[in-house]
């Protein structure tokens, strides 16, 4: 009897490692072990503090779902100019702040048990790269389809990926954050509306909602300078997709008119990308910053300008509305000027909560002059915008429906 039991256990162990070896690469092995989670998350940059929305969302999910884990593979570190070696440092820092989650972070460079009731990730490329083993092991999945990350409108490669993902027998639900995305999926017959959950905006670190703005400096109240900032990652040589080229063109047209205007560039750009010699002494570059440091910088800003353009990086490539950097600025009491070429805004009131602009120098210049000459309008938009963004980006609005969706899918297993 004992011999038979030992043999059964031995056979099961051998079977597990046999399966694992059949799905191995130089760095990792997947296997469907005996221990099962309710929720398995995957991400390619977590827990890098620069990606505040993922840091917040995945932390909340890992805490809420007792049986949950996250597989981390830092392939996107290079995109934000971070050495991959820093990944372990970020993991260690995350664990110091979230000791209870220590065993829930799984590096992909090891044997990975993927036995779960539900798989979840954000962005098209991330779900697509994991599709093969999700289908192999018949594991159901849900994901958030943010703009970017492989998703582009009317792009052949993007559409092919979407088709494979949304027609997969393992597909359960997709969260969309923009109406244009929801409409696109339905109009292209990629999936039925019943499988789409629309949650406008995105997740924001809740620390950003609890800002102490007692040290916030405002034009003509606490300082004589008018400080304008631009904040974006660099995906093209001159930042045409984010409107960096337009921003610098605007800056050069107004610097002679007002000698008290300063410009602040946060993100992947420096003085070598576009000639800024005319702005010498009036422009400062900060490089990439995490969301906590951004809050400190924004304390001295009056306006953030986001003149981003759609379809610059490729056919169908577009940003969500508003950008994460815009959200962070507004929460810090900074008035935001932003483009909305694709008419994605369905929540904010123009000239009350924020200012809508065209992505050209004249449009920006006219609106900035209006704010400089009418500081009461600047103060009003800053205050109204902060209150509106606080409401829209609370976890009550953003995370509660996400948790509910995932719980419902897990319950159906």
């Amino acid at each position: 009897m004992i011999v038979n039991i030992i043999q059964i256990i031995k056979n099961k162990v051998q079977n597990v490692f046999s399966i694992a070896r059949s799905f191995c690469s130089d760095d990792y092995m997947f296997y469907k072990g005996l221990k099962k989670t309710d929720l398995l998350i995957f991400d390619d940059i977590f827990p890098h503090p620069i990606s505040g929305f993922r840091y917040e969302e995945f932390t909340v999910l890992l805490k809420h779902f007792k049986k949950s884990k996250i597989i981390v593979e830092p392939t996107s570190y290079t995109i934000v100019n971070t050495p991959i070696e820093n990944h372990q440092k970020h993991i260690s820092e995350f664990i110091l702040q979230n000791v209870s989650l220590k065993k829930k972070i799984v590096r992909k460079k090891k044997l990975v048990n993927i036995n779960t009731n539900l798989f979840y990730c954000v962005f098209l490329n991330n779900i697509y790269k994991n599709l093969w083993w999700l289908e192999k092991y018949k594991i159901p999945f849900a994901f958030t389809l943010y703009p970017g990350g492989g998703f582009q409108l009317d792009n052949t490669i993007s559409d092919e990926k979407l088709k494979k993902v949304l027609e997969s027998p393992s597909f359960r639900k997709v969260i969309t954050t923009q109406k244009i995305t929801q409409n696109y999926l339905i109009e292209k017959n990629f999936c039925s509306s019943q499988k789409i959950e629309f949650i406008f905006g995105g997740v924001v670190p809740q620390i950003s909602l609890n800002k102490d703005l007692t040290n916030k400096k405002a034009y003509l109240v606490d300082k004589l300078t008018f400080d304008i900032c631009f904040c974006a990652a660099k995906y093209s040589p001159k930042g045409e997709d984010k409107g960096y080229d337009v921003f610098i063109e605007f800056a050069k047209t107004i610097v002679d008119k007002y000698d008290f205007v300063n410009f602040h560039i946060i993100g992947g750009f420096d003085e070598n990308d576009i000639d800024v010699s005319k702005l010498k002494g009036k422009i400062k570059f900060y490089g990439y910053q995490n969301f906590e440091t951004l809050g400190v910088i924004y304390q001295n800003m009056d306006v953030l300008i986001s003149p981003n353009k759609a379809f610059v990086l490729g056919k169908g490539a577009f940003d969500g509305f508003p950008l994460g950097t815009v959200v962070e600025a507004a929460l810090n009491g900074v008035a935001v000027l932003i483009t909305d070429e694709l008419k994605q805004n369905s929540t904010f009131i123009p000239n009350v909560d924020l200012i809508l602009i065209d992505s050209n120098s004249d449009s920006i210049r006219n609106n900035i002059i209006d704010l400089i000459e009418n500081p009461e309008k600047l103060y009003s938009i800053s205050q109204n915008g902060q209150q509106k963004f606080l409401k829209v980006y609370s976890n009550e609005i953003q995370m509660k429906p996400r948790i509910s969706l995932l719980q419902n899918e897990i319950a159906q297993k």
Side-chain angles (χ1 to χ4, degrees):
M1 182 67 177
I2 295 176
V3 174
N4 289 337
I5 292 175
I6 293 174
Q7 186 60 45
I8 291 173
I9 293 174
K10 182 178 179 180
N11 289 340
K12 285 188 175 181
V13 171
Q14 289 177 338
N15 184 51
V16 166
F17 282 95
S18 175
I19 292 174
R21 283 192 296 271
S22 68
F23 291 101
C24 68
S25 73
D26 293 336
D27 296 320
Y28 61 89
M29 292 189 293
F30 287 146
Y31 74 100
K32 195 170 184 178
L34 299 177
K35 191 172 182 180
K36 193 173 189 178
T37 60
D38 282 329
L39 181 67
L40 181 64
I41 306 167
F42 170 86
D43 195 58
D44 59 356
I45 200 170
F46 184 85
H48 199 313
I50 201 171
S51 185
F53 78 95
R54 284 188 275 201
Y55 193 100
E56 176 71 21
E57 178 174 358
F58 298 151
T59 300
V60 171
L61 293 179
L62 291 171
K63 288 181 177 179
H64 181 85
F65 291 95
K66 184 177 180 181
K67 295 181 179 180
S68 61
K69 288 188 176 182
I70 182 168
I71 302 172
V72 291
E73 182 186 28
T75 53
S76 287
Y77 267 49
T78 55
I79 296 176
V80 293
N81 295 331
T82 302
I84 291 181
E85 294 75 28
N86 285 13
H87 188 226
Q88 184 54 56
K89 174 189 173 184
H90 289 148
I91 291 177
S92 299
E93 291 171 346
F94 174 81
I95 291 173
L96 282 175
Q97 298 179 38
N98 302 276
V99 178
S100 63
L101 303 182
K102 180 178 181 179
K103 294 182 179 180
K104 292 193 172 190
I105 300 181
V106 180
R107 292 288 301 271
K108 202 173 179 183
K109 288 189 176 182
K110 60 163 55 177
L111 200 63
V112 180
N113 176 10
I114 46 78
N115 192 3
T116 186
N117 286 320
L118 185 70
F119 175 88
Y120 175 74
C121 66
V122 297
F123 292 112
L124 175 59
N125 280 343
N126 280 340
I127 188 60
Y128 185 77
K129 73 162 59 172
N130 288 285
L131 189 62
W132 65 274
W133 64 264
L134 291 169
E135 292 184 339
K136 175 67 179 180
Y137 289 112
K138 299 180 180 179
I139 294 175
F141 66 82
F143 72 107
T144 294
L145 184 59
Y146 281 112
F151 173 47
Q152 299 180 16
L153 302 173
D154 294 312
N155 178 280
T156 301
I157 296 176
S158 174
D159 282 355
E160 288 177 353
K161 290 181 179 180
L162 274 175
K163 186 176 178 62
K164 288 182 180 179
V165 168
L166 298 174
E167 289 183 353
S168 170
S170 292
F171 168 61
R172 296 295 180 269
K173 286 278 189 177
V174 57
I175 297 171
T176 59
T177 61
Q178 307 288 325
K179 278 293 184 181
I180 193 172
T181 303
Q182 181 182 24
N183 294 338
Y184 185 75
L185 296 183
I186 295 173
E187 291 169 3
K188 298 277 283 192
N189 293 316
F190 283 125
C191 70
S192 65
S193 58
Q194 288 76 21
K195 288 196 170 186
I196 302 173
E197 180 81 8
F198 176 68
I199 308 173
F200 175 81
V203 181
V204 169
Q206 295 302 282
I207 189 174
S208 297
L209 275 65
N210 299 300
K211 296 292 185 181
D212 179 4
L213 299 184
T214 54
N215 293 321
K216 176 70 173 69
K217 295 178 175 59
Y219 169 60
L220 294 184
V221 177
D222 310 289
K223 59 191 177 76
L224 296 178
T225 57
F226 190 93
D227 293 273
I228 305 172
C229 61
F230 174 93
C231 183
K234 182 181 178 181
Y235 297 112
S236 57
K238 294 184 178 181
E240 294 93 341
D241 57 310
K242 301 300 183 184
Y244 177 63
D245 56 333
V246 174
F247 180 89
I248 296 300
E249 180 185 352
F250 145 73
K252 291 177 180 178
T253 69
I254 203 170
V255 70
D256 291 332
K257 183 176 178 63
Y258 301 107
D259 63 1
F260 52 82
V261 174
N262 296 321
F263 307 96
H264 306 262
I265 311 300
I266 308 163
F269 302 95
D270 59 36
E271 61 275 11
N272 298 312
D273 295 309
I274 298 177
D275 180 19
V276 292
S277 56
K278 186 177 179 180
L279 304 175
K280 187 176 182 181
K282 295 290 183 180
I283 189 168
K284 181 178 179 179
F285 295 89
Y286 296 78
Y288 284 106
Q289 302 289 326
N290 62 42
F291 63 89
E292 292 178 337
T293 309
L294 271 178
V296 176
I297 296 172
Y298 285 147
Q299 291 284 303
N300 196 54
M301 298 299 120
D302 296 293
V303 171
L304 177 135
I305 299 176
S306 180
N308 49 303
K309 296 181 179 180
F311 314 141
V312 173
L313 293 181
K315 181 180 179 181
F318 71 106
D319 289 315
F321 178 95
L323 297 179
T325 53
V326 171
V327 176
E328 187 67 25
L331 291 172
N332 278 278
V334 179
V336 295
L337 281 66
I338 182 173
T339 56
D340 186 22
E341 293 178 300
L342 303 180
K343 310 300 180 186
Q344 299 182 82
N345 178 37
S346 59
T347 302
F348 301 99
I349 303 173
N351 293 316
V352 174
D353 303 323
L354 45 68
I355 296 175
L356 295 179
I357 58 172
D358 295 323
S359 187
N360 63 64
S361 178
D362 289 341
S363 177
I364 299 173
R365 177 186 169 88
N366 292 338
N367 279 283
I368 288 296
I369 290 176
D370 184 32
L371 293 178
I372 291 175
E373 302 295 340
N374 299 282
E376 291 301 326
K377 181 177 180 179
L378 170 69
Y379 309 147
S380 176
I381 290 177
S382 298
Q383 293 168 6
N384 292 336
Q386 186 203 20
Q387 292 304 309
K388 188 62 166 284
F389 276 77
L390 280 171
K391 180 180 179 180
V392 173
Y393 291 95
S394 68
N395 273 357
E396 179 70 19
I397 299 297
Q398 294 296 330
M399 284 305 302
K400 188 174 181 179
R402 284 172 166 82
I403 290 172
S404 178
L405 180 150
L406 297 176
Q407 283 180 329
N408 290 338
E409 293 305 318
I410 291 170
Q412 294 181 35
K413 277 294 292 180

